[in-house]
Amino acid sequence: MQKVSFFKSIHVKFVLIYLLLILLAMQIIGLYFAQELEQTLTQNFKDSIEERMNIVEFSVREEMVKSRTEEESTIEESLRSVLAGFQSSDIDEIRVVDARYRILASSAPDNQSLVGQRSTLDIVTQSIVAETPDERTYVNNQADRVWVRTQPIIAEGGEVLGTLYMEADIENVYDQMDDINAILAVGTAIALAVTAVLGVLVAQTISKPISDMRRQAQAMARGNFSRKVRVYGNDEIGQLAKSFNNLTNRLQESQQSTESERRKLASVLANMTDGVLSTDRRGRVILINDPGLRLLNVSRETVINRPITSVLGLDSEYTFEDLIHLKDAITLDFSSYDESALLRASFSVIQKETGFVNGVIAVLHDNTEQEKIDMERREFVANVSHELRTPLTTMRSYLEALADGAWQDQELAPTFLNVTQTETERMIRLVNDLLKLSKMDASETEINKEMVEFNVFFNRIIDRFEMSKSQNVYFERELPEEQYFVEIDPDKLTQVIDNIISNALKYSPEGGKIRFAMTIEDGFILIRIVDQGMGIPKENVDKIFDRFYRVDRARSRAMGGTGLGLAISKEMINAHGGHIWAESQYGKGTTIFFTLPFEEDVGGEWE
């Protein structure tokens, strides 16, 4: 390249700019000096006042602890004399306040009427109570700043005798700083004017080609590579312009190739249902597609540049080197308390031809639904098999006994046949309940709604159970007298309430109580049915609405339950737009809640 002459060298131009920056730095130093000077003057003023207050505090303390005779002057007169000796132009007023907040003396002639009165200033109260000095600054009626300071008066034994309250005119300090700032402002204005003139002259030789290159860079960012930078000279900027034009040609070729590959990759990643993460050679995430963000429930900003082991929650089990050598897919559990989320992750290594590892690609597949379906299928088959095996085994045993000759025994035969009939009816109930749940799952159950006055409807069901119950269980009702109309299927809701009350009766002890309550909350009727049974362990309360779940399997089966009643109740309540749940304390009883949407009293529409 051609050598650049000295006077055309960009270094000379940068030296000029550097000199201007030095000039500007001097102004900044001046501002810093003014700020520090202000702090110093303010602190010196406060230190001076504090030293004088220490002397006043000593003299006042001596007067307050001094024993006096009737011939001697009163403490107020003595304190007034002490304060008069410390008057100065910068101290507006000094007050002496005793421990009972009574003003004993004031140095201000205009405030002598305050002597003997109780001080109501917060700073005085705080100083006496906390036994520590306090200070603050406020603006008075003349718009002058006043510095207020209190200093407690403490006797040698530690007893607080009172406090000194001082007001000092600190406005003089700020007046001095205003004069200094005015001088600095004039100097700064002159420096800025000179800097502006020199800056315009220097900028004309540098800013124009640089602006041209900036516009070219912006055009390149938009994908326009046809524009060229104008070369103004042969200095460093001129040579940079030539290099910039050469770079434009090369970038145009590379951009076309890169854009083609980018579109292919973006199309593949955007149309994938699986999540994809890519890392650099250090294991930090550099790319993640939208399905990956959705599966991990994170934002792109929180993932990029983080270690992949941290993003996938594998810190405790795997390192990045382990993932490089991992051959089999692994299962990631992102389940929370509210919902489950299982992902299957497969890893592949990005390598150069030399074998150097550039990173890892992780493919995430949502396996939650499949795992949930498999688990529910296994549980359902196991539960149905278990529920059917018990009565079938019993029936086979009794039928074998009958076949072996027990049918001829007039005492045993009726008993055996009765047991066989009971188990058969139990299996029929189980199958019917399964059919009901199957129809609900397939949305084939018809809901025949009609407007019902719920208080009458609920009381009628309770009356039926109260008249037919066999054990000694007391019913308690807490139902409102107002009318509340709900649109429900009476048959379906009767079955729900029958299931809940039947369970409450089954598990209630002799002499127990079942309480029925109804309240209104947020546009819903809330029904509570409370028993005093054995209760449910805390960890199992949320499971009682699962199919075939029983707290006490042996006792429930002996009572004839199928384990599907509450599951059916939940489906029916949900179909009515309500919600059902339970609360229980083991050994103390269970409360079943369910809600139903209701309408205001529409009695006028039926008249």
Side-chain angles (χ1 to χ4, degrees):
M1 286 187 181
Q2 184 180 358
K3 185 177 181 181
V4 180
S5 64
F6 176 78
F7 292 101
K8 293 183 179 180
S9 173
I10 197 172
H11 293 87
V12 175
K13 302 171 185 177
F14 282 144
V15 168
L16 293 176
I17 296 174
Y18 179 74
L19 292 176
L20 296 176
L21 292 176
I22 291 296
L23 179 61
L24 184 60
M26 292 175 60
Q27 301 305 314
I28 296 175
I29 293 174
L31 294 176
Y32 173 76
F33 168 77
Q35 181 180 3
E36 292 297 318
L37 180 61
E38 178 180 344
Q39 294 179 357
T40 301
L41 291 177
T42 304
Q43 189 61 42
N44 289 341
F45 178 83
K46 292 181 179 180
D47 291 343
S48 174
I49 297 297
E50 291 176 8
E51 290 178 0
R52 280 181 279 178
M53 285 192 70
N54 290 334
I55 299 174
V56 174
E57 187 269 339
F58 175 78
S59 301
V60 169
R61 184 175 67 244
E62 293 296 322
E63 293 295 335
M64 294 181 72
V65 300
K66 179 180 178 182
S67 299
R68 301 178 183 278
T69 61
E70 295 181 357
E71 293 78 11
E72 294 179 335
S73 60
T74 63
I75 185 172
E76 288 81 0
E77 295 174 348
S78 300
L79 292 177
R80 190 181 307 115
S81 301
V82 171
L83 297 182
F86 289 95
Q87 290 184 348
S88 62
S89 59
D90 52 357
I91 296 180
D92 295 338
E93 181 183 6
I94 300 178
R95 298 178 189 173
V96 180
V97 183
D98 63 12
R100 293 178 296 178
Y101 311 112
R102 187 169 63 91
I103 300 175
L104 299 180
S106 173
S107 64
D110 297 337
N111 291 338
Q112 294 303 315
S113 60
L114 298 177
V115 176
Q117 298 183 12
R118 181 181 178 86
S119 176
T120 59
L121 298 176
D122 294 340
I123 190 172
V124 172
T125 304
Q126 185 176 356
S127 175
I128 295 175
V129 173
E131 301 181 11
T132 57
D134 196 3
E135 64 181 51
R136 62 189 65 173
T137 303
Y138 72 94
V139 179
N140 61 13
N141 297 330
Q142 289 76 32
D144 293 335
R145 279 164 282 202
V146 177
W147 184 55
V148 176
R149 187 176 188 272
T150 57
Q151 181 169 331
I153 305 172
I154 302 175
E156 294 182 358
E159 179 185 0
V160 178
L161 303 177
T163 187
L164 287 178
Y165 172 81
M166 181 277 305
E167 291 184 359
D169 185 8
I170 200 173
E171 187 66 27
N172 294 331
V173 175
Y174 291 100
D175 291 340
Q176 296 176 19
M177 287 308 308
D178 290 341
D179 296 337
I180 296 174
N181 289 333
I183 296 173
L184 290 176
V186 173
T188 301
I190 296 174
L192 290 177
V194 174
T195 303
V197 173
L198 295 178
V200 170
L201 297 176
V202 176
Q204 289 180 349
T205 62
I206 299 178
S207 61
K208 191 171 183 180
I210 291 179
S211 297
D212 195 11
M213 284 187 283
R214 177 181 60 83
R215 288 190 293 269
Q216 171 63 10
Q218 292 174 345
M220 291 169 57
R222 294 191 296 267
N224 180 14
F225 294 93
S226 60
R227 190 177 182 278
K228 303 298 180 182
V229 177
R230 182 179 176 182
V231 180
Y232 291 94
N234 291 324
D235 59 3
E236 287 89 340
I237 293 181
Q239 295 184 11
L240 176 61
K242 295 178 181 179
S243 300
F244 204 88
N245 289 332
N246 185 35
L247 176 64
T248 301
N249 296 330
R250 298 295 181 88
L251 284 177
Q252 185 175 9
E253 299 173 359
S254 300
Q255 191 268 345
Q256 292 174 351
S257 176
T258 303
E259 184 64 20
S260 176
E261 296 297 328
R262 188 193 65 80
R263 284 196 297 267
K264 294 177 183 178
L265 178 60
S267 177
V268 171
L269 292 177
N271 291 282
M272 291 182 64
T273 57
D274 293 340
V276 177
L277 293 86
S278 179
T279 73
D280 58 14
R281 59 185 180 86
R282 297 178 298 170
R284 297 186 177 274
V285 177
I286 58 175
L287 181 145
I288 181 171
N289 64 349
D290 292 339
L293 296 174
R294 186 179 65 255
L295 292 176
L296 296 176
N297 193 24
V298 294
S299 62
R300 196 179 304 274
E301 292 76 13
T302 60
V303 172
I304 298 301
N305 290 327
R306 284 185 57 199
I308 189 172
T309 53
S310 175
V311 172
L312 300 181
L314 300 174
D315 306 70
S316 59
E317 301 179 25
Y318 298 93
T319 63
F320 179 63
E321 289 73 17
D322 296 332
L323 298 183
I324 293 176
H325 300 93
L326 196 63
K327 302 298 181 183
D328 300 327
I330 60 176
T331 299
L332 307 177
D333 189 354
F334 284 89
S335 302
S336 63
Y337 181 80
D338 298 326
E339 59 181 354
S340 59
L342 298 176
L343 307 179
R344 188 179 72 250
S346 302
F347 300 91
S348 59
V349 181
I350 307 173
Q351 287 182 310
K352 292 184 177 180
E353 295 180 356
T354 58
F356 182 79
V357 176
N358 268 353
V360 166
I361 292 179
V363 179
L364 307 178
H365 178 72
D366 190 355
N367 217 33
T368 306
E369 289 301 322
Q370 186 61 41
E371 288 290 336
K372 184 178 180 181
I373 291 172
D374 291 344
M375 182 179 66
E376 290 180 350
R377 177 179 55 80
R378 291 190 295 268
E379 289 182 354
F380 181 78
V381 172
N383 287 330
V384 172
S385 300
H386 181 76
E387 295 297 331
L388 290 176
R389 182 179 60 187
T390 301
L392 287 173
T393 301
T394 303
M395 292 173 61
R396 184 181 65 180
S397 300
Y398 281 91
L399 290 174
E400 287 177 352
L402 290 172
D404 290 341
W407 63 273
Q408 298 176 349
D409 190 326
Q410 296 182 356
E411 295 182 358
L412 291 178
T415 302
F416 285 8
L417 290 174
N418 184 47
V419 171
T420 304
Q421 182 180 4
T422 300
E423 296 298 326
T424 303
E425 292 175 352
R426 178 181 165 196
M427 285 191 293
I428 292 174
R429 289 197 304 271
L430 175 61
V431 173
N432 288 335
D433 286 346
L434 289 173
L435 289 175
K436 289 179 184 177
L437 286 172
S438 177
K439 289 182 179 181
M440 291 179 182
D441 291 339
S443 300
E444 296 178 358
T445 302
E446 294 184 1
I447 303 295
N448 301 314
K449 291 185 178 181
E450 59 183 76
M451 195 63 68
V452 174
E453 205 284 288
F454 196 79
N455 304 55
V456 177
F457 173 76
F458 195 19
N459 273 302
R460 188 181 300 122
I461 298 175
I462 298 173
D463 291 339
R464 174 162 50 83
F465 274 92
E466 192 169 22
M467 293 178 61
S468 62
K469 67 179 187 295
S470 58
Q471 67 263 51
N472 181 23
V473 178
Y474 173 66
F475 282 12
E476 178 182 314
R477 311 186 195 196
E478 297 179 2
L479 306 180
E481 297 180 358
E482 294 83 356
Q483 291 182 334
Y484 295 104
F485 289 88
V486 293
E487 191 176 7
I488 60 173
D489 185 330
D491 293 337
K492 300 293 189 299
L493 258 295
T494 299
Q495 183 178 353
V496 170
I497 299 175
D498 283 355
N499 281 334
I500 298 174
I501 298 179
S502 296
N503 287 336
L505 287 171
K506 286 180 184 178
Y507 296 105
S508 292
E510 285 293 324
K513 178 176 65 175
I514 297 178
R515 183 164 57 90
F516 304 91
M518 185 177 78
T519 56
I520 306 301
E521 293 186 5
D522 300 329
F524 285 84
I525 290 180
L526 175 63
I527 295 91
R528 297 190 299 274
I529 301 178
V530 187
D531 65 51
Q532 296 178 337
M534 65 180 183
I536 306 169
K538 182 178 180 181
E539 63 274 10
N540 296 333
V541 172
D542 295 335
K543 299 179 182 179
I544 65 172
F545 296 100
D546 294 345
R547 300 174 185 185
F548 295 109
Y549 178 80
R550 293 188 178 97
V551 179
D552 187 341
R553 292 185 176 273
R555 183 177 180 184
S556 298
R557 191 174 292 110
M559 293 179 177
T562 63
L564 298 173
L566 288 179
I568 294 174
S569 299
K570 180 180 179 180
E571 296 290 343
M572 290 183 177
I573 291 296
N574 291 340
H576 281 77
H579 181 55
I580 186 170
W581 72 97
E583 293 180 1
S584 180
Q585 187 174 359
Y586 190 67
K588 294 187 178 181
T590 302
T591 302
I592 301 294
F593 301 84
F594 69 88
T595 61
L596 293 171
F598 85 101
E599 298 182 8
E600 295 292 341
D601 186 359
V602 295
E605 300 180 4
W606 298 88
E607 294 177 357

